[in-house]
Amino acid sequence: MDGGKVAGMLFLDISKAFDSINHKILLGKLEHIGLAARSLRWIKLYLADRQQCVCINREISETCPIDLGVPQGSILGPLLFNVYILSAAVTKSELILYADDAVLIVAASTPQELNDALRHDFTLISDWYTNNKLTLNTKKTKLMLSGSKAMLSPFNDFQFSTDKGQINRVSSFKYLGVLLDEKWKWKMHINSLLQKLGHRLSVFNRIYHMLDQKSHIIF
């Protein structure tokens, strides 16, 4: 933005990311980065022979084996997932990865430049996901352009579509708990925080008055 360019931010969504990890590919990646054979055997045993079932109205189904995914809610789960996607690479943009939250960021001066760069790297990352048995959810993937009012003016009608479908363009997006907006003003995020704080303060206020009334009754 300081250089007078518009930042195109593509927030990628992977369908059931943690549940789609292929164990064979994961173990191969761990071996490739130099994990010792003993540690590899331990992780293989950690992932193997897991079972799942469903309980509805206290009726439990038969168990079936889990052949994909890493255990969620565990310490190793996000770490193993990060190793799995570590080799994802792009050439014309910056890729920011945080567990299953991924963002492609492209700086461009013209709509055509932005479209070409996004299309090139979106194809790269889509192919990588496919080759690694992951599914990109284009319906939940969002595009946000960021810049000043003057910078964004030539991009007013900018839309981005792929062979997988149209990518919805948004003016704001909540990423890792922070509400980002296209003007980078933080006003929407601050207002969102104030609303949450206001609700919590009103709850504390009611509790305080209830306790205050009870204390008067006791006295």
Side-chain angles (χ1 to χ4, degrees), residues 72-206:
Q72 296 188 47
S74 65
I75 295 173
L76 274 180
L79 178 62
L80 293 174
F81 184 85
N82 283 335
V83 171
Y84 194 86
I85 63 171
L86 196 61
S87 58
V90 291
T91 59
K92 296 181 179 295
S93 60
E94 182 180 355
L95 178 63
I96 297 177
L97 297 170
Y98 187 87
D100 60 333
D101 290 305
V103 188
L104 279 176
I105 303 178
V106 175
S109 301
T110 66
Q112 187 62 49
E113 181 185 0
L114 178 61
N115 185 74
D116 291 346
L118 283 176
R119 185 174 301 281
H120 181 273
D121 280 357
F122 183 83
T123 301
L124 283 181
I125 202 72
S126 295
D127 291 344
W128 185 92
Y129 283 152
T130 300
N131 293 335
N132 285 272
K133 313 299 182 183
L134 297 173
T135 304
L136 186 64
N137 189 339
T138 53
K139 290 184 178 180
K140 290 187 177 181
T141 295
K142 306 296 180 184
L143 171 68
M144 187 179 81
L145 305 189
S146 184
S148 67
K149 186 177 181 180
M151 294 175 190
L152 289 172
S153 181
F155 295 82
N156 284 340
D157 299 325
F158 183 86
Q159 298 293 330
F160 181 63
S161 60
T162 70
D163 56 351
K164 298 179 183 296
Q166 178 90 11
I167 303 297
N168 290 332
R169 180 179 171 181
V170 295
S171 58
S172 62
F173 189 84
K174 193 169 187 178
Y175 180 66
L176 301 179
V178 179
L179 188 59
L180 307 174
D181 66 273
E182 59 184 9
K183 302 294 178 57
W184 223 250
K185 296 293 185 181
W186 302 108
K187 186 176 180 180
M188 294 181 69
H189 180 65
I190 293 170
N191 287 339
S192 175
L193 289 177
L194 289 174
Q195 287 179 359
K196 291 181 180 179
L197 286 172
H199 174 70
R200 284 164 173 75
L201 287 173
S202 65
V203 171
F204 285 129
N205 191 43
R206 288 198 298 271

